[in-house]
Amino acid sequence: MKITDHIKKAKGETLFSFEIVPPVKGKSIQELYRNIDPLMEFKPPFIDVTTSREEYIYKEKDGLLDKKLTRTRPGTLGICASLKHKYDVDTVPHVLCGGFTKEETEYLLVDCQYLEIENVMALRGDARKEEKYFTPTKGGHQFASELVKQIHDINQGKYLHDTIESNECGDFCIGVAGYPEKHMEAPSLQSDLKRLKEKVELGADYVVTQMFFDNKKFFEFVEAARALGINVPIIPGIKPIAVKRHLQLLPQVFRVDIPQELIEAVEACTSNQEVRQVGVEWAIQQSKELKAAGVPVLHYYSMGKSDNIKDIAKEVF
């Protein structure tokens, strides 16, 4: 079922969903199952599975370092199919611009269709670790809006090199990212909202936001989006702080502000176990307020761990 249909079916009730990261290449999927199992009691209608782009690694060869391009966390589509089969839940693979040509994207989408995966999250993706700025893959897309258009075209039977008149072409529900505190590369929040509107006009069906820790910023973002004519569902993304290092890491990597009250609570902790509890309690309060405001879904960034997400969900759902 499409995400938008899950939302309609809920008739105003806030749904629970979460996002997972594929295991490192060579690792078993069983650990992933063990982390997902405790969350299934909250009946998530869908689970997102991230896609990691390629990166350079160095291997010693004949006494020299050989530079190789590889993906350390492949398997997104396989995991989506596995979770769909094991849990009878809809899965949402992340589809990236970075690291993929347009042809590779088309093949991926055809595979999704054969696996009866109806939802995809269209993202530009990050720059590679050794790059300061995002560089498009040769033969690939530069912007998420271009990726949205390609997916929407397939829904109309328009492939890269063919137009097919058929009732059995793709029918994907397309998700895109939104940034309550603006994308790190956007010159202003207003310009970022215009880019979001462009993605919706090109075919995006719903928005999932970057993490945030101040609900006021989310509510202001939604209000500004609606004023600009963006009327698709906007789903808040929540990530609980779990270790002290998050105070530096999350603002640095994701360009998000952390409220002073939360900073002081984390700094007062004497162990990461205490930090984890502070993060859980903050996310519970965030979630309750967002749920009371009628958000369609609360989407949690689990990063493959479920204990703190379960502690939050049992207080909210």
Side-chain angles (χ1 to χ4, degrees):
M1 187 185 294
K2 294 181 179 181
I3 304 305
T4 48
D5 289 335
H6 280 299
I7 292 171
K8 290 174 185 174
K9 185 180 177 183
K11 296 181 179 179
E13 180 182 350
T14 299
L15 302 171
F16 165 79
S17 73
F18 59 95
E19 180 175 300
I20 61 168
V21 178
V24 174
K25 187 165 51 183
K27 296 290 186 179
S28 168
I29 198 173
Q30 296 305 317
E31 183 179 353
L32 193 58
Y33 289 155
R34 285 192 291 271
N35 278 294
I36 291 173
D37 286 345
L39 300 179
M40 296 311 294
E41 68 173 277
F42 305 106
K43 298 180 173 56
F46 63 93
I47 301 171
D48 274 43
V49 183
T50 67
T51 296
S52 299
R53 68 168 304 171
E54 80 286 15
E55 58 184 273
Y56 282 108
I57 61 171
Y58 295 86
K59 295 290 185 180
E60 188 173 346
K61 182 180 180 181
D62 300 328
L64 299 173
L65 288 177
D66 193 21
K67 187 178 182 182
K68 297 288 187 182
L69 199 59
T70 187
R71 284 189 174 88
T72 59
R73 294 180 183 270
T76 296
L77 198 54
I79 289 171
C80 283
S82 181
L83 298 185
K84 192 172 187 291
H85 173 74
K86 180 175 175 63
Y87 297 109
D88 190 25
V89 64
D90 283 313
T91 51
V92 186
H94 289 195
V95 183
L96 305 183
C97 297
F100 297 88
T101 65
K102 296 172 188 176
E103 280 78 10
E104 288 169 332
T105 297
E106 184 172 284
Y107 302 154
L108 172 69
L109 294 168
V110 170
D111 283 342
C112 286
Q113 184 184 354
Y114 292 154
L115 290 168
E116 298 183 330
I117 292 172
E118 298 181 81
N119 304 284
V120 293
M121 175 64 65
L123 304 166
R124 189 197 70 174
D126 299 324
R128 287 204 304 260
K129 290 180 180 178
E130 72 279 1
E131 295 178 337
K132 187 174 182 180
Y133 301 107
F134 177 84
T135 302
T137 297
K138 185 176 181 181
H141 295 298
Q142 182 174 4
F143 302 110
S145 57
E146 298 169 347
L147 178 56
V148 169
K149 184 179 185 303
Q150 181 180 5
I151 301 168
H152 187 260
D153 281 350
I154 286 178
N155 285 349
Q156 312 303 311
K158 299 175 185 176
Y159 294 83
L160 292 173
H161 308 298
D162 304 280
T163 298
I164 300 173
E165 297 293 336
S166 171
N167 293 326
E168 298 180 359
C169 292
D171 188 22
F172 295 107
C173 181
I174 307 169
V176 293
Y179 299 86
E181 298 174 67
K182 88 173 183 62
H183 190 277
M184 64 182 75
E185 296 174 18
S188 70
L189 181 57
Q190 192 65 20
S191 65
D192 198 29
L193 281 166
K194 287 181 179 179
R195 299 289 80 77
L196 179 60
K197 184 180 182 182
E198 181 183 1
K199 289 187 284 187
V200 171
E201 290 173 342
L202 287 169
D205 298 292
Y206 69 98
V207 176
V208 180
T209 76
Q210 175 64 278
M211 70 182 73
F212 57 91
F213 297 93
D214 183 348
N215 284 353
K216 181 181 177 183
K217 293 185 178 182
F218 172 78
F219 293 135
E220 290 174 348
F221 171 77
V222 172
E223 184 179 0
R226 300 302 186 221
L228 202 61
I230 299 171
N231 295 314
V232 298
I234 299 178
I235 297 170
I238 303 295
K239 176 177 173 55
I241 282 181
V243 295
K244 271 196 174 183
R245 187 165 174 261
H246 280 165
L247 291 183
Q248 289 75 42
L249 186 65
L250 297 180
Q252 178 183 357
V253 175
F254 299 102
R255 302 298 194 271
V256 294
D257 285 339
I258 299 178
Q260 188 61 32
E261 182 183 352
L262 178 55
I263 293 171
E264 291 175 358
V266 171
E267 288 178 339
C269 294
T270 58
S271 68
N272 278 332
Q273 185 62 28
E274 291 181 7
V275 174
R276 177 194 172 282
Q277 188 57 36
V278 167
V280 165
E281 291 172 0
W282 187 274
I284 288 171
Q285 295 308 311
Q286 268 195 281
S287 300
K288 286 182 175 179
E289 183 180 24
L290 291 164
K291 187 178 180 183
V295 298
V297 184
L298 284 168
H299 186 71
Y300 295 92
Y301 296 113
S302 76
M303 305 306 289
K305 301 296 182 182
S306 63
D307 55 346
N308 54 357
I309 305 300
K310 180 179 180 180
D311 287 348
I312 296 163
K314 69 184 182 183
E315 296 294 328
V316 178
F317 294 94

